[in-house]
Amino acid sequence: VQLQASGGGLVQAGGSLELSCVVSGAAFDACGMGWFRQPPGKEREFVAAISFDGSSTRYEDSVKGRLSISRDNVKNTVYLQMNSLKPEDTAVYYCAAKPNYAGYYYLFRQSDYDYWGQGTQVTVSS
């Protein structure tokens, strides 16, 4: 199973970016998917997660209303639309997959994921 994340970059505060993560080697439409991030000098943390069919989502409190997770099960891709970006959103963003998972509630836990992408850097300047 491979996850390829892309879409990171440098953006000014208040700007927007969309991250993408393409999954191969697994039945994507049976995977719970998540986005995590690791700010400079800090531990990796949960950002957002989405159920296998896209019907349920979870968000970390600080990103609610600004970041939105979605998926396209035809393109085997999960997205993270990031609006109203803040300097504190600066981090390496990782996508993660949990194959054959019908739930969504526990997708905030890093330990629940089996596969991880390589990370994409997002830098928000003030």
Side-chain angles (χ1 to χ4, degrees):
V1 179
Q2 292 188 328
L3 286 72
Q4 183 68 46
S6 62
L10 174 63
V11 64
Q12 289 188 330
S16 298
L17 281 175
E18 184 181 63
L19 306 184
S20 301
C21 175
V22 180
V23 178
S24 59
F28 181 73
D29 58 3
C31 291
M33 297 296 301
W35 284 98
F36 293 78
R37 66 186 180 187
Q38 187 166 17
K42 297 184 179 181
E43 299 286 318
R44 190 163 59 187
E45 62 188 21
F46 170 72
V47 175
I50 189 166
S51 61
F52 71 102
D53 60 355
S55 64
S56 299
T57 57
R58 287 197 67 169
Y59 295 93
E60 194 272 328
D61 286 346
S62 70
V63 307
K64 287 179 180 178
R66 301 187 300 116
L67 276 58
S68 178
I69 189 170
S70 62
R71 65 189 295 157
D72 185 332
N73 283 358
V74 174
K75 296 182 178 180
N76 287 8
T77 302
V78 62
Y79 303 95
L80 186 67
Q81 177 65 45
M82 303 190 294
N83 299 325
S84 302
L85 283 164
K86 303 176 181 180
E88 51 263 44
D89 294 316
T90 294
V92 177
Y93 283 72
Y94 297 90
C95 56
K98 181 173 177 62
N100 303 315
Y101 185 67
Y104 80 98
Y105 185 81
Y106 293 108
L107 289 176
F108 65 93
R109 300 190 305 197
Q110 297 187 51
S111 59
D112 276 38
Y113 288 88
D114 301 291
Y115 301 98
W116 293 80
Q118 84 286 4
T120 184
Q121 176 71 47
V122 173
T123 303
V124 184
S125 63
S126 56

